[in-house]
Amino acid sequence: MENETKLLSVSSSPHVRDRSSTKSIMRDVCIALIPATAVGIYNFRLSAVLVILTTCVTCILAEWIWQKCMKQPVTTSDFSALLTGLLLALNLPATIPLWMCVVGGVFAIIIGKQVFGGLGMNFMNPALAGRCFMVLSFSSAVTSFTIKEGADWMYGIAVDATSSATPLMHVKTGAMMGDLPSLKDMFLGTTTGTIGETSVIALLIGAAYLLIRKIITWHIPVIYIATFVCIDFIYQCVMGGAPYPILYELCGGGLMLGAWFMATDYVTSPITRKGQVIYAILLGLLTALFRFFGESAEGVSFAIIIGNCAVPLIERFTIPKPFGLEKKKKEVA
C-alpha cells in the first residue's frame, strides 16, 4: 500500500476559516434592511418605491458599466452594489427628485468605491459618500420633507403641499412637548424623516438578524450609541434642559440606521477590538458635536465619513505588532 502524500496549506496568521463570502454577507445585510424598507414603503408609498428602485438600479448599472469599460471582472451579482443603492435610498427623503438619486448613485459607486479599486479598497462607506455629496450639492432637496399636493404620499392621505420638520429639528429648535410626536410613533415609525430612519423597531429587528447571523458584533453600534447618550446627558445637564430630548435623539434621525448598518461596514471600520472601541467613541463624539453645535439637526452621515477617514490612523496604533518585532528593535538600539 502506497503512502499517501498529504499537502499542508501554510499561510500567515490570523488563521481564520469561515464559510461566509462577500455575496452571503451582503445578501444578509440586504435581508436585514427589509423591515425598515417595508415600513418606509408603507409610510411613503409610491414615492419611496421609486426612490429605492432608482438608486438600486443606478448603482448596479454604474458598477456594471465601469467594470466593463475598465475591463474588470463584473461583480454586480455579489449584492454590494444593490446594498449601496438600498442604503442610499433609505437615507433620502421620499420626495427627492429622481434625477438627483441617479447622480447620488453614480457618485456613490464610481467615486466612493470604484476609483479606489472596488469593494475592499474603498476608504469610506460608498452609500454615505453618495449621501454626503448630495447634501452638499442638493442641500434643500435632501433635507426637505414635503408632503406633495394631491399625492398618496404618506399614510394614503391626499393633502395640500406642506413642509414638515423632523422630530430632531423640533428638539434642536427647543419645541415644547406638545409639538413633538409621541415616542411610540417614533419607535414604530409613523413620523417624518428619510425613508429608512423613521422606525426604530424595524431597524432593531434587522440589527438582531445581523447579530444572530454573526455578520456584525455589538461593540461598534452599542459603544457608539452609549457614547452619544453620555455626551447628550452631560449636554442637557450643562444647558439645564429637560431629559426627554435624549430619547428623541435616539429614536429620531439616522442614529440607529447609521450605528447598526453603516458604522459596522467591514471595509471602512477597524479590524481590532481596541480599534473598534476607539472608532465607536469617536463616532459618538462627532455625532453629538454635529447635532448640538452644527446647523443641521442630523450629523450621523458626516460623523461616520470622518470616522472612516480616521480608521487608518486608529489601526496604526491598535494593530498588534508581529511576535519578536519589538525585541528586535531593542536589540538594534
Side-chain angles (χ1 to χ4, degrees):
M1 184 176 180
E2 297 182 359
N3 294 329
E4 295 182 359
T5 303
K6 295 183 179 181
L7 299 178
L8 300 178
S9 177
V10 181
S11 61
S12 60
S13 62
H15 303 287
V16 179
R17 299 292 179 265
D18 195 291
R19 295 182 179 180
S20 298
S21 63
T22 298
K23 184 174 183 178
S24 66
I25 291 170
M26 296 298 168
R27 182 180 62 239
D28 277 336
V29 179
C30 288
I31 292 172
L33 287 168
I34 289 177
T37 303
V39 172
I41 293 174
Y42 174 78
N43 283 345
F44 308 117
R45 306 302 170 92
L46 181 59
S47 297
V49 174
L50 292 177
V51 170
I52 293 169
L53 287 177
T54 300
T55 56
C56 289
V57 172
T58 297
C59 287
I60 293 172
L61 283 178
E63 182 159 293
W64 185 85
I65 292 172
W66 173 272
Q67 292 176 335
K68 282 291 185 180
C69 292
M70 296 293 106
K71 297 181 180 180
Q72 298 173 350
V74 176
T75 59
T76 52
S77 62
D78 64 5
F79 290 96
S80 63
L82 175 64
L83 178 59
T84 297
L86 182 56
L87 283 172
L88 178 59
L90 297 182
N91 277 280
L92 296 174
T95 52
I96 190 169
L98 296 182
W99 69 268
M100 292 184 185
C101 297
V102 173
V103 174
V106 171
F107 186 93
I109 292 296
I110 304 301
I111 307 300
K113 180 181 176 182
Q114 292 300 331
V115 296
F116 295 103
L119 184 65
M121 303 298 290
N122 51 290
F123 72 93
M124 67 176 69
N125 186 288
L128 286 182
R131 185 184 188 277
C132 290
F133 169 77
M134 294 177 72
V135 169
L136 296 175
S137 303
F138 319 116
S139 178
S140 178
V142 176
T143 58
S144 176
F145 303 94
T146 306
I147 300 176
K148 295 180 180 179
E149 183 176 358
D152 185 17
W153 182 75
M154 191 173 189
Y155 317 123
I157 302 174
V159 296
D160 294 335
T162 58
S163 295
S164 177
T166 62
L168 278 187
M169 185 56 70
H170 281 302
V171 172
K172 188 175 182 67
T173 55
M176 301 299 291
M177 280 293 291
D179 298 327
L180 293 169
S182 69
L183 286 171
K184 176 184 176 182
D185 290 339
M186 295 180 67
F187 192 74
L188 295 177
T190 56
T191 57
T192 307
T194 65
I195 295 172
E197 74 180 15
T198 60
S199 177
V200 175
I201 183 63
L203 292 170
L204 290 179
I205 291 172
Y209 176 82
L210 293 180
L211 289 171
I212 292 171
R213 295 281 294 171
K214 297 182 179 180
I215 302 299
I216 64 172
T217 63
W218 61 268
H219 301 83
I220 290 177
V222 171
I223 296 173
Y224 176 7
I225 295 170
T227 301
F228 175 80
V229 169
C230 291
I231 298 174
D232 195 346
F233 181 77
I234 295 172
Y235 177 77
Q236 296 299 333
C237 291
V238 172
M239 297 299 293
Y244 71 83
I246 295 179
L247 296 176
Y248 281 88
E249 293 280 0
L250 284 176
C251 295
L255 181 58
M256 290 296 174
L257 178 60
W260 291 101
F261 293 95
M262 289 177 282
T264 54
D265 178 31
Y266 285 4
V267 179
T268 57
S269 61
I271 60 175
T272 64
R273 188 69 70 225
K274 186 186 297 183
Q276 290 174 357
V277 172
I278 296 172
Y279 172 70
I281 293 173
L282 175 63
L283 295 185
L285 175 61
L286 289 173
T287 301
L289 289 175
F290 287 137
R291 284 194 175 185
F292 302 150
F293 303 105
E295 291 295 327
S296 173
E298 195 44 271
V300 173
S301 296
F302 285 101
I304 296 177
I305 286 292
I306 295 174
N308 293 161
C309 295
V311 166
L313 182 62
I314 293 173
E315 291 193 326
R316 180 179 179 183
F317 293 101
T318 57
I319 290 182
K321 294 181 176 62
F323 180 75
L325 181 62
E326 189 171 349
K327 181 178 179 182
K328 184 177 180 181
K329 286 183 177 180
K330 290 181 180 179
E331 291 177 351
V332 173

